[in-house]
Amino acid sequence: MAHINRHMEPGIEFIYKSLTPDESPLVLGVVGSTAYGLATENSDKDYLGVHYVATEKLYGFGATELLKTTRTGSLPDFASHEVAKFINLCMGGNPTVLEILWLEQYEYLSSSFRELINLRHCFLSTKRVKAAYGGYVLQQAKRLLNRSSEDGPGGFDPKLKKRTAKHGRHCFRLLSQGMNLLQTGEIVINVSEHKEFLFNAGETAENNPQGFYEAVRKQIAVMDNIDSVLPDHADRERLESWLVKFRKEQYDQ
């Protein structure tokens, strides 16, 4: 019973090349610039997934490693977290991982993961969201500022400058999504209505790191003063109850 009795879901066959016979997908969705409505002609399509390991494997050697596993692949690019790791990342407020719970559509969606989507607000807490969204962006803005100081004007090579602009867009998208999450309890994935603003922010990051850093600081100050609708703590007990129930169901199959 160690191997999961599974069949390959049509359209996502590529993920099985990186999963073991003891692992099976729960969900797969398109993330990144395509999901944000910010894709350009040069953008690749990125996928994020969640998988689970056969329950029997958790009674043997290597269980800890299996629970912390992230499988990755390329052509297309994707990452898939084991469901226990996924839940912990989400409770920590990880923006990149949390967003799969708010996608408008999925390449594959199991009934079990649909249950987790219904529990998505249980993952949220004010402190974690502020730290994960605002803290990360401030750290990146500081790194950009320090790098520009070390390299001097014109110190970036063309490829690095392009990545800097993209990273600047990424930072201000996170700030926008984080503030909306604190105010409404929801993550807005498609930010195409702010496309011009975000691309301008990217240009500022590329050409004026000091100005970009100051703009980030101002936005984080606004974020810190938001009267959050989120709870103080994630509902760990409810999420753990779901996970135990899910493991038992897989074991009994």
Side-chain angles (χ1 to χ4, degrees):
M1 198 168 101
H3 288 333
I4 295 172
N5 183 17
R6 67 184 188 186
H7 67 279
M8 289 193 184
E9 297 293 335
I12 67 165
E13 291 89 352
F14 62 87
I15 197 173
Y16 293 91
K17 296 178 181 178
S18 295
L19 297 182
T20 73
D22 303 308
E23 297 168 338
S24 191
L26 279 170
V27 68
L28 187 72
V30 177
V31 294
S33 58
T34 301
Y36 307 142
L38 302 176
T40 67
E41 59 182 11
N42 298 318
S43 297
D44 296 322
K45 188 175 284 189
D46 300 313
Y47 295 84
L48 179 65
V50 179
H51 67 273
Y52 66 97
V53 65
T55 307
E56 277 192 1
K57 286 293 181 179
L58 302 181
Y59 291 97
F61 298 120
T64 300
E65 289 74 15
L66 289 171
L67 291 170
K68 296 179 179 179
T69 296
T70 296
R71 305 296 185 193
T72 59
S74 58
L75 299 176
D77 291 331
F78 83 90
S80 180
H81 304 296
E82 210 285 327
V83 64
K85 180 177 183 179
F86 170 78
I87 290 174
N88 277 288
L89 287 171
C90 286
M91 286 195 297
N94 186 299
T96 303
V97 181
L98 268 174
E99 65 186 31
I100 198 172
L101 293 163
W102 270 267
L103 293 180
E104 295 180 359
Q105 60 184 25
Y106 297 88
E107 303 301 297
Y108 170 65
L109 176 61
S110 66
S111 58
S112 295
F113 196 83
R114 193 182 297 276
E115 293 175 5
L116 262 189
I117 292 175
N118 291 335
L119 295 175
R120 62 190 180 184
H121 297 98
C122 294
F123 292 97
L124 305 174
S125 64
T126 297
K127 182 179 180 180
R128 293 293 188 180
V129 167
K130 286 186 176 181
Y133 284 77
Y136 170 81
V137 171
L138 182 60
Q139 179 188 57
Q140 296 307 305
K142 286 180 179 178
R143 288 181 62 185
L144 174 62
L145 185 60
N146 291 336
R147 192 170 67 201
S148 68
S149 298
E150 294 170 0
D151 294 344
F156 295 158
D157 64 58
K159 289 184 179 179
L160 183 56
K161 290 191 71 174
K162 285 184 179 180
R163 292 200 298 272
T164 298
K166 181 178 180 179
H167 201 58
R169 297 195 295 270
H170 173 64
C171 286
F172 266 81
R173 173 187 56 78
L174 284 174
L175 287 175
S176 175
Q177 289 176 319
M179 286 190 279
N180 186 76
L181 181 54
L182 292 168
Q183 292 170 324
T184 69
E186 305 292 340
I187 300 177
V188 177
I189 302 297
N190 190 311
V191 293
S192 55
E193 63 178 300
H194 305 299
K195 188 171 184 177
E196 183 177 356
F197 169 78
L198 293 173
F199 272 79
N200 287 338
E203 290 181 7
T204 301
E206 181 181 80
N207 300 312
N208 183 8
Q210 181 67 49
F212 179 78
Y213 175 69
E214 294 302 329
V216 163
R217 288 188 60 188
K218 288 179 181 178
Q219 288 300 303
I220 291 178
V222 172
M223 175 182 283
D224 287 341
N225 288 305
I226 287 176
D227 187 12
S228 174
V229 302
L230 302 181
D232 293 332
H233 304 283
D235 193 341
R236 182 185 181 91
E237 183 177 350
R238 193 172 180 188
L239 293 168
E240 188 173 39
S241 294
W242 178 90
L243 182 59
V244 171
K245 169 178 167 288
F246 173 74
R247 298 290 195 200
K248 287 181 176 178
E249 289 172 349
Q250 302 314 310
Y251 187 78
D252 291 337
Q253 287 183 3

